[in-house]
Amino acid sequence: MKLHQLRYLHEVVKQGLNITNAAEALYTSQPGVSKQIQLIEEELGLQIFKRNGKRLTGLTEPGQQILNLAARVIRDIENIKRVGDEFSDAEKGMFTIATTHTQARYKLPAAVKAFMNQYPQVKLNIHQGNPMQVAEQVVSGEADIGIATESISSYDELLCLPCYHWNRCVVVPNDHPLVHGGPLTLEKLAAYPLITYDFAFTGGTLVSKTFSDAGLNPNVVLTAIDADVIKTYVSLGLGVGLLANMAYDAERDINLTRIDVSHLFADSTTYLGIRKDAFIRGYMYGFIELIAPHFNRQAVNAALKTSD
Amino acid sequence: MKLHQLRYLHEVVKQGLNITNAAEALYTSQPGVSKQIQLIEEELGLQIFKRNGKRLTGLTEPGQQILNLAARVIRDIENIKRVGDEFSDAEKGMFTIATTHTQARYKLPAAVKAFMNQYPQVKLNIHQGNPMQVAEQVVSGEADIGIATESISSYDELLCLPCYHWNRCVVVPNDHPLVHGGPLTLEKLAAYPLITYDFAFTGGTLVSKTFSDAGLNPNVVLTAIDADVIKTYVSLGLGVGLLANMAYDAERDINLTRIDVSHLFADSTTYLGIRKDAFIRGYMYGFIELIAPHFNRQAVNAALKTSD
DNA sequence: CAACGTTACGCTCTTCGTAAAGATG
DNA sequence: CATCTTTACGAAGAGCGTAACGTTG
């Protein structure tokens, strides 16, 4: 069995069972990929892929298990290379953060700036996505760490460290009736068309639960993953915006009025997620400490230790 | 990076940093091993081994970490092969149990016999050792499961399933004063020379703790890992035997008298240990259920699930 | 017939084993 | 000087790419 074969398998699945695309992604020829897959199936004495004639149509049951193991092997090989990089030049490397728009735009910039000063030789990548995508990028190893709220803690490949608490605010145009409408309640809020994050009402998230516990069914007219998009549509008078407190910028958003709603919703916690079995480079510890000062290197390692 | 290289590294370390022996164990030439080690060190850009001139004298810090990862990769490759075996012929394979003498000799035979009837095509191996060796064989993958008492539960790579409870007895020659000396106490026991398991007094085991809690310092004159050895020396009048209840065979040991001491020591639990990340073949589930009927396949999987 | 997977074949690069030389204690 | 590691070199083998062929929808 060769490492190459496992990589090929992995890529074929990643490319939706398309050998041609996988070969392209791997910068190699497609007959080569085809051949190696046949070879490993022959060596293991079973079919990994379900086939309809020559087309791949799915994974067999053992194939699925083999793929999970192959993925771990590939990650470990990656980890070995990182150990090499870390010790040959600790200050140099790549670092990919997966996060949501709100974090990337309003919470991370300070940490990112400090990080880039501290580690000028590290190439930093920020991947943006909804919380589920963030979690999956970290699980798959596409991103080194993920920063998002709540939902990432359900993956048990990930170690989740609480970073900070936050709550929400409502933003409305300055001439909106809510501006002078007295203390805000859930009932009042539910009476207006709402514009908020597109994942706020998927699954049992805190916002949707708060409304439904109060027997309310808010009228969400528009959703986006992007706080700036939400604010734009609020400015146009299309509805009332409900977003993270940190996403309101008093200087920039002068055409909008912010109304705190901490009393209506429980605090949320933003978590930092990292694969339990990943090799953590020195600068990654550095970044973690920048955004969550209570997690220094020792604290992270301790959390990793107890999570097994 | 090649799988072969990781295997070479692993074997060199296993052979005590001796390339020559490693090459022999791998059925290949020693220059080949030497070369591949150089190549991987070059690829990673660091030294894995500390060297004194040409001799290997130890692992560097990154080398140690690389070796841990390499070991996991090797185990995962092994797991992949097992998935193949399981699905191509579920009834056929190898199965290695690491256990202590007492378990192997007095507790497992019934399960082993039933297992061999049920899976005649499985090659069964029993490795014997003290509890620590048992645990380490399972951790390293040399054995598939380990069966021993207490001490194996401290390795966090292992999932430990409680199998059964047991207690101890004292055995003495038939004409020994303790036979008609009324109810046995710790004090009386401590007054005689003791012969028992050689790990019973290492670390904080239950037996040593029981004595020390009572302020007693028993006189252990001889220890062995083998219950039969203990009984032999007891027969010779060299001391009083303290061993597992199950190790006394009423029919065979007619020259010895058994005195129950369940009232002096708390029950011990025998655990079955298995690597959390191992692929478990169908017949392994079968064996587990034979020695611990409360752990059927689902129960084992459930325990694995919650242990992450 | 367009997209995709497999077979065939020649080329290149890698790996392996033998033989010999260089270090170490 | 016995043991161990590295260097050198020729032979065997594995993987890759191009081209051609067979299938699927």
Side-chain angles (χ1 to χ4, degrees):
Chain A
M1 195 180 314
K2 302 280 153 53
L3 276 182
H4 246 132
Q5 296 171 329
L6 300 183
R7 274 195 256 270
Y8 285 8
L9 284 180
H10 187 246
E11 191 63 37
V12 168
V13 173
K14 196 173 159 195
Q15 297 288 339
L17 304 173
N18 184 317
I19 295 185
T20 309
N21 294 358
E24 206 160 320
L26 293 161
Y27 303 103
T28 185
S29 72
Q30 148 242 44
V33 177
S34 188
K35 188 82 179 290
Q36 293 304 319
I37 288 175
Q38 290 167 13
L39 281 175
I40 193 172
E41 286 188 326
E42 190 186 325
E43 179 176 349
L44 295 175
L46 52 79
Q47 292 218 166
I48 292 171
F49 293 105
K50 284 187 200 153
R51 290 176 171 81
N52 200 340
K54 294 194 174 187
R55 302 294 168 96
L56 307 187
T57 58
L59 284 166
T60 61
E61 194 198 329
Q64 182 57 60
Q65 300 191 36
I66 289 169
L67 234 102
N68 293 342
L69 288 166
R72 189 160 71 187
V73 168
I74 291 165
R75 282 195 306 271
D76 277 341
I77 297 295
E78 200 55 47
N79 283 340
I80 288 177
K81 288 183 183 156
R82 281 185 200 194
V83 174
D85 293 341
E86 175 72 6
F87 284 84
S88 57
D89 192 343
E91 303 295 310
K92 211 166 151 182
M94 297 252 300
F95 186 28
T96 303
I97 302 168
T99 188
T100 55
H101 171 267
T102 301
Q103 309 293 331
R105 174 81 175 70
Y106 296 99
K107 196 78 194 189
L108 295 186
V112 166
K113 189 180 172 193
F115 179 82
M116 286 173 60
N117 278 331
Q118 200 173 339
Y119 302 99
Q121 294 195 81
V122 174
K123 282 230 181 303
L124 194 63
N125 273 305
I126 298 184
H127 287 188
Q128 220 170 285
N130 67 39
M132 214 184 75
Q133 291 170 326
V134 166
E136 279 171 5
Q137 291 208 2
V138 179
V139 169
S140 74
E142 285 171 82
D144 297 310
I145 71 168
I147 300 170
T149 300
E150 309 171 49
S151 44
I152 63 170
S153 45
S154 62
Y155 289 79
D156 58 282
E157 293 96 330
L158 301 185
L159 172 69
C160 284
L161 309 174
C163 287
Y164 43 80
H165 303 290
W166 55 275
N167 213 309
R168 294 154 188 81
C169 65
V170 158
V171 294
V172 290
N174 296 332
D175 58 355
H176 192 276
L178 281 180
V179 174
H180 299 104
L184 201 51
T185 62
L186 281 178
E187 286 74 15
K188 283 191 195 171
L189 199 54
Y192 288 95
L194 226 58
I195 305 180
T196 188
Y197 300 111
D198 70 353
F199 44 87
F201 285 93
T202 59
T205 57
L206 197 138
V207 170
S208 70
K209 201 170 170 318
T210 304
F211 277 110
S212 68
D213 283 358
L216 296 170
N217 192 15
N219 173 29
V220 180
V221 292
L222 185 60
T223 63
I225 48 166
D226 186 323
D228 290 329
V229 171
I230 295 173
K231 289 190 287 191
T232 304
Y233 287 99
V234 171
S235 307
L236 295 175
L238 297 182
V240 169
L242 173 64
L243 36 73
N245 246 326
M246 58 184 136
Y248 179 82
D249 181 334
E251 291 180 20
R252 199 182 294 260
D253 300 328
I254 42 174
N255 59 329
L256 296 175
T257 300
R258 175 185 164 284
I259 307 170
D260 187 80
V261 291
S262 306
H263 57 296
L264 300 181
F265 300 97
D267 271 6
S268 281
T269 304
T270 291
Y271 289 92
L272 183 156
I274 192 162
R275 273 200 73 96
K276 288 176 186 172
D277 57 5
F279 174 74
I280 304 174
R281 297 208 42 181
Y283 52 75
M284 297 184 188
Y285 287 109
F287 185 84
I288 292 172
E289 199 168 352
L290 280 170
I291 57 163
H294 47 299
F295 280 114
N296 60 16
R297 190 175 187 130
Q298 287 166 7
V300 173
N301 286 337
L304 271 173
K305 198 89 183 177
T306 56
S307 74
D308 288 333
Chain B
M1 194 180 316
K2 302 281 152 55
L3 275 182
H4 246 132
Q5 296 171 330
L6 300 183
R7 273 195 258 270
Y8 285 7
L9 284 180
H10 187 247
E11 191 64 36
V12 167
V13 173
K14 195 172 158 194
Q15 298 289 337
L17 303 174
N18 183 316
I19 296 185
T20 308
N21 293 357
E24 205 161 319
L26 292 161
Y27 303 103
T28 185
S29 73
Q30 147 244 47
V33 177
S34 187
K35 189 78 181 291
Q36 293 305 317
I37 287 175
Q38 289 169 12
L39 281 174
I40 193 171
E41 285 188 327
E42 189 186 326
E43 178 176 350
L44 295 175
L46 52 80
Q47 292 218 164
I48 293 170
F49 294 104
K50 284 188 199 151
R51 292 178 172 76
N52 199 338
K54 293 193 173 184
R55 302 291 168 99
L56 308 188
T57 59
L59 284 165
T60 61
E61 195 200 329
Q64 182 58 60
Q65 300 192 36
I66 288 170
L67 234 102
N68 293 341
L69 288 166
R72 188 160 72 187
V73 169
I74 290 165
R75 281 195 306 271
D76 277 341
I77 297 295
E78 200 55 47
N79 282 339
I80 289 177
K81 286 183 185 156
R82 280 188 202 192
V83 174
D85 294 340
E86 176 73 7
F87 283 86
S88 56
D89 191 343
E91 303 296 310
K92 213 164 149 183
M94 295 253 300
F95 186 28
T96 303
I97 302 167
T99 188
T100 55
H101 172 266
T102 301
Q103 309 293 331
R105 173 82 175 71
Y106 297 99
K107 197 77 193 189
L108 294 186
V112 167
K113 188 179 172 190
F115 180 82
M116 287 174 60
N117 278 331
Q118 201 176 339
Y119 302 99
Q121 293 193 84
V122 175
K123 282 230 182 302
L124 193 63
N125 273 304
I126 297 185
H127 287 188
Q128 222 169 282
N130 67 39
M132 216 185 73
Q133 292 171 324
V134 166
E136 280 171 4
Q137 291 209 1
V138 179
V139 169
S140 74
E142 286 172 82
D144 298 308
I145 71 169
I147 300 171
T149 299
E150 309 169 48
S151 45
I152 62 172
S153 44
S154 62
Y155 288 79
D156 59 280
E157 294 97 331
L158 301 185
L159 172 68
C160 285
L161 308 175
C163 287
Y164 43 82
H165 303 290
W166 55 274
N167 213 309
R168 292 151 190 83
C169 65
V170 158
V171 293
V172 289
N174 295 333
D175 57 355
H176 193 277
L178 280 180
V179 174
H180 299 103
L184 201 50
T185 62
L186 281 178
E187 285 76 14
K188 282 191 198 175
L189 200 52
Y192 289 95
L194 226 59
I195 304 180
T196 188
Y197 300 112
D198 69 353
F199 45 87
F201 284 92
T202 60
T205 57
L206 197 137
V207 169
S208 70
K209 201 171 170 318
T210 304
F211 276 108
S212 69
D213 283 358
L216 296 169
N217 192 15
N219 171 30
V220 180
V221 292
L222 185 61
T223 63
I225 49 166
D226 186 323
D228 290 328
V229 171
I230 295 173
K231 288 190 289 189
T232 303
Y233 286 98
V234 171
S235 305
L236 295 175
L238 298 182
V240 169
L242 174 63
L243 36 72
N245 245 326
M246 58 184 136
Y248 179 82
D249 181 333
E251 290 180 19
R252 200 181 292 260
D253 299 329
I254 44 174
N255 59 327
L256 296 174
T257 299
R258 175 185 163 282
I259 307 170
D260 188 79
V261 292
S262 307
H263 56 296
L264 300 182
F265 301 97
D267 271 5
S268 282
T269 304
T270 291
Y271 289 92
L272 185 155
I274 192 162
R275 273 199 74 95
K276 287 176 185 169
D277 58 5
F279 174 74
I280 304 175
R281 297 208 43 183
Y283 53 75
M284 296 181 188
Y285 286 110
F287 185 84
I288 292 171
E289 198 167 352
L290 280 170
I291 57 164
H294 48 298
F295 279 113
N296 60 18
R297 189 173 188 132
Q298 287 166 6
V300 173
N301 286 337
L304 271 173
K305 199 88 183 179
T306 56
S307 75
D308 287 333

